[in-house]
């Protein structure tokens, strides 16, 4: 697993506040309380992103720059997004999200991949499926992660993974836990492969 120096960049509440960037960015998306901030913290090896016991607390996009050593230019940026649909499921994701989320997903030029988190302890949710369809429709690569795997037995995990595969239309579901560290190495590999591919196509 790489060692990065993490730098909290800013907390954006509108598109005007998104940081200027020329490096690959990876966004973490999913229902409120699914474990986005926890997963980011485990990936970074430090409590950079705020974990809240009150679902739906994160209303901004929080940007974290990852530096290798003392390099001024970051290697990549991670973006922690607000969660959707904790209390009620609406037909549209954007109705529940701050208005700047859709433009972020559709227009952020450096966005290399979206890590889509789904809680393995509950059936795939309508919002998870809508998000997957939306990302596919705008051509954004997505990495599907089943979270909180530590709460399930081996058999339950197999069942949950198969449900997620079917609902989200991909064979590639990464099983992760921020609590016991399961799957974190594989998630790093997936993130770095995508970031590397993007760097390869934009190298000067
Ligand atoms: P919002 O910012 O509100 O959208 O939530 P979030 O998706 O960032 O979730 P967060 O990381 O704040 O975690 C929500 C709750 O789930 C916290 O109580 C975490 O401790 C718990 N949690 C997160 N990941 C795991 C996990 O892998 N296993 C277990 N058992 N609990 C987890
Ligand atoms: Mg959060």
């Amino acid at each position: 697993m790489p060692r990065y120096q993490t730098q909290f960049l800013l907390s954006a509440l509108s598109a005007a506040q998104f940081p200027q960037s020329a490096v690959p960015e990876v966004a973490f998306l999913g229902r409120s309380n699914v474990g986005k901030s926890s997963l980011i913290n485990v990936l970074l090896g430090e409590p950079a992103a705020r974990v809240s016991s009150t679902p739906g607390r994160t209303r901004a996009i929080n940007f974290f720059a990852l530096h290798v050593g003392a390099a001024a230019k970051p290697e990549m940026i991670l973006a922690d997004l607000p969660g959707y649909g904790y209390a009620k499921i609406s037909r549209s994701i954007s109705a529940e999200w701050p208005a700047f989320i859709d433009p972020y997903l559709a227009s952020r030029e450096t966005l290399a991949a979206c890590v889509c988190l789904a809680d393995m302890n509950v059936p795939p949710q309508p919002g998870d499926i809508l998000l997957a369809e939306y990302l596919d429709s705008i051509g954004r690569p997505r990495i599907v992660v089943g979270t909180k795997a530590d709460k399930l037995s081996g058999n339950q995990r197999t069942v949950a993974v198969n449900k997620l595969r079917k609902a989200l239309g991909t064979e590639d579901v990464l099983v992760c836990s921020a609590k016991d560290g399961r799957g974190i190495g594989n998630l790093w590999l997936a993130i770095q492969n995508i970031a590397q591919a993007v760097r390869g196509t934009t190298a000067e």
Side-chain angles (χ1 to χ4, degrees):
M1 218 176 288
R3 269 315 305 168
Y4 289 111
Q5 308 289 326
T6 306
Q7 178 198 9
F8 171 69
L9 287 178
L10 56 85
S11 196
L13 283 162
S14 72
Q17 296 173 343
F18 297 159
Q20 288 213 345
S21 167
V23 300
E25 189 160 299
V26 176
F28 288 72
L29 298 150
R31 292 175 80 215
S32 190
N33 209 45
V34 72
K36 298 175 292 296
S37 302
S38 300
L39 204 60
I40 288 175
N41 288 341
V42 173
L43 284 167
L44 297 180
E46 60 181 284
R50 187 158 163 220
V51 174
S52 158
S53 52
T54 315
R57 192 48 76 71
T58 314
R59 303 310 295 163
I61 303 182
N62 291 308
F63 294 89
F64 301 91
L66 308 192
H67 297 264
V68 172
K73 188 181 175 189
E75 280 280 297
M76 73 175 99
I77 289 179
L78 302 188
D80 187 8
L81 270 79
Y84 52 83
Y86 184 74
K88 52 179 192 257
I89 303 296
S90 106
R91 290 173 53 111
S92 120
I93 305 173
S94 51
E96 301 169 14
W97 274 14
F100 59 96
I101 303 296
D102 277 359
Y104 170 82
L105 294 175
S107 310
R108 180 79 169 158
E109 279 185 15
T110 50
L111 183 56
C114 293
V115 179
C116 297
L117 281 60
D119 189 338
M120 297 186 71
N121 297 267
V122 298
Q125 301 291 303
D128 303 333
I129 297 165
L130 281 172
L131 176 64
E133 287 171 352
Y134 176 64
L135 292 174
D136 288 350
S137 77
I138 59 173
R140 288 289 187 201
R142 54 189 170 96
I143 299 170
V144 176
V145 169
T147 65
K148 307 193 185 184
D150 57 277
K151 291 167 120 182
L152 295 175
S153 71
N155 279 344
Q156 289 171 321
R157 273 197 290 275
T158 306
V159 171
V161 165
N162 284 333
K163 281 186 185 162
L164 282 177
R165 284 185 175 138
K166 205 168 165 198
L168 301 182
T170 176
E171 282 301 300
D172 298 323
V173 173
L174 292 173
V175 173
C176 288
S177 164
K179 199 165 180 185
D180 66 18
R182 173 193 308 266
I184 301 300
N186 284 339
L187 178 54
W188 256 131
L189 281 179
I191 288 172
Q192 288 192 305
N193 282 341
I194 286 189
Q196 199 65 49
V198 170
R199 262 186 231 108
T201 58
T202 57
E204 291 118 49

